[in-house]
Amino acid sequence: MRFDDAAEIDGDTRLRVALGALSGAERTIYAVSGHEGVVCHRHTTLETYLETLYATGWRRGQHRDKTTLTAVFQRYILPLVRLFDRFCIDSPFLAIDTDNRVPALAPALCKSRSVGAPGLCVLHDLDRHRHFGLVADVAAADRPFAEKSDTLVWRGATTGVFDPDRGPLSPRAFIPALADRGRADIDVGFHTFTRRVLRDAGADGAAALERHHRPEMDLSQQLHHRYLLSLEGHDVASGLKWMMASNSVVLMPPVTAESWACETRLAPYRHFVPVRADLADVPDQLSWCRREREACQAIVAAANQFVADLMHPPTNHKVGKAIVEHYAATVALTRAPGCRIPESVLPA
């Protein structure tokens, strides 16, 4: 499926990454109850999607308002429905309609999955505008590497894990410690605070976090900086693709989640400059970047090519078609005892 000998990532690799554990699998019947994901098919509409959510309680759908669920349907479900319909595939499929790190017990199409525990998650190009929408705007907003400010920047929300009782801390939880170093060449801070993180932090912890509030930056303002810090939140870092499409160098910790962007195929010192998950070595790695200007420009070129490959329409079409065809050929869904999925969606 490779279309260009200079490609940083070819179509066959992308297909293997997307399919994950389903790659090479034989046809298997999976009994589902409705708690594994949303069961859909090529004729799913907003109404049947809502009917399934309300019947099964998937992702607490009954507690979200219809405006929110309509947006979720358009970002996560409708692209899959259109794919199955375009290729006239009548098989029902499971979809995960949110940011995801939970390992799927039955094959489910999703935007993201955990690297360490992927389960049977199958990746597809979902919530595309949020993750790839700014790539097309980079060229007009960017400037040459040599003309950028010799500084590092990060802006984002308090997404991810900030409470050690909930699991390993998100790299974003270490932004306060990095900011407290008081480096004029490192401009990091939160532009948005999530309610759960502030609640879990308590009054004193919330005040400490809010001390690191910084104004939000648009694309052009961030691209003024030569070095961009990319940090995962609930799952993958949504801004990574436009950062890699720019003339700035990306610094980031090892990835723990992956998506359509094949983050696990990014190589340190080839596509990005690695930093520790606790961000303690960011100043040292920034010094390395300044010493190794030529290496940094080679990293920028490789990252640019990687994103260009991800944006290549013919390859995206072939990979998308191969994913849904392989899913339909290897996955059969049936009703588990006590299944609450409407029979109009998954017949008995």
Side-chain angles (χ1 to χ4, degrees), residues 81-123:
V81 170
R82 287 174 172 167
L83 265 178
F84 276 75
D85 188 50
R86 182 186 308 158
F87 302 121
C88 300
I89 298 174
D90 289 314
S91 305
F93 61 89
L94 279 170
I96 296 176
D97 60 354
T98 185
D99 297 342
N100 180 66
R101 286 180 179 266
V102 179
L105 301 180
L109 292 155
C110 58
K111 184 201 79 178
S112 57
R113 69 186 176 212
S114 168
V115 172
L120 295 175
C121 292
V122 178
L123 300 172

Side-chain angles (χ1 to χ4, degrees), residues 45-178:
T45 63
L46 174 62
E47 287 68 30
T48 55
Y49 164 70
L50 294 175
E51 179 187 7
T52 304
L53 286 185
Y54 296 148
T56 62
W58 165 248
R59 297 284 184 178
R60 300 178 300 280
Q62 66 270 43
H63 301 304
R64 293 186 286 182
D65 62 84
K66 187 172 181 180
T67 299
T68 299
L69 290 173
T70 299
V72 168
F73 174 79
Q74 292 171 342
R75 292 159 55 194
Y76 292 94
I77 304 299
L78 189 57
L80 295 173
V81 170
R82 287 174 172 167
L83 265 178
F84 276 75
D85 188 50
R86 182 186 308 158
F87 302 121
C88 300
I89 298 174
D90 289 314
S91 305
F93 61 89
L94 279 170
I96 296 176
D97 60 354
T98 185
D99 297 342
N100 180 66
R101 286 180 179 266
V102 179
L105 301 180
L109 292 155
C110 58
K111 184 201 79 178
S112 57
R113 69 186 176 212
S114 168
V115 172
L120 295 175
C121 292
V122 178
L123 300 172
H124 218 296
D125 188 15
L126 307 179
D127 201 10
R128 182 174 182 81
H129 180 73
R130 178 166 176 251
H131 288 263
F132 287 91
L134 287 176
V135 171
D137 299 332
V138 168
D142 209 1
R143 63 192 69 192
F145 179 85
E147 296 178 12
K148 293 173 180 268
S149 171
D150 195 38
T151 48
L152 176 142
V153 71
W154 181 83
R155 289 293 187 275
T158 55
T159 53
V161 178
F162 279 64
D163 182 352
D165 292 336
R166 292 180 177 268
L169 292 175
S170 165
R172 298 185 182 206
F174 298 98
I175 282 292
L178 180 59

Side-chain angles (χ1 to χ4, degrees), residues 203-284:
D204 292 341
L209 285 173
E210 290 172 336
R211 186 165 56 85
H212 296 285
H213 177 264
R214 299 291 184 274
E216 189 168 3
M217 287 184 171
D218 63 22
L219 184 68
S220 179
Q221 290 173 311
Q222 293 187 65
L223 290 176
H224 176 74
H225 300 264
R226 190 171 291 158
Y227 311 105
L228 301 174
L229 186 61
S230 175
L231 302 177
E232 294 177 336
H234 292 317
D235 54 14
V236 297
S238 60
L240 177 60
K241 282 69 70 179
W242 69 255
M243 291 182 184
M244 290 179 56
S246 77
N247 293 324
S248 296
V249 182
V250 174
L251 286 76
M252 70 178 190
V255 298
T256 63
E258 61 184 338
S259 72
W260 183 255
C262 297
E263 287 88 350
T264 53
R265 293 307 188 269
L266 296 172
Y269 296 109
R270 177 170 180 80
H271 303 107
F272 68 96
V273 175
V275 298
R276 287 171 37 169
D278 64 4
L279 309 183
D281 63 344
V282 168
D284 291 338

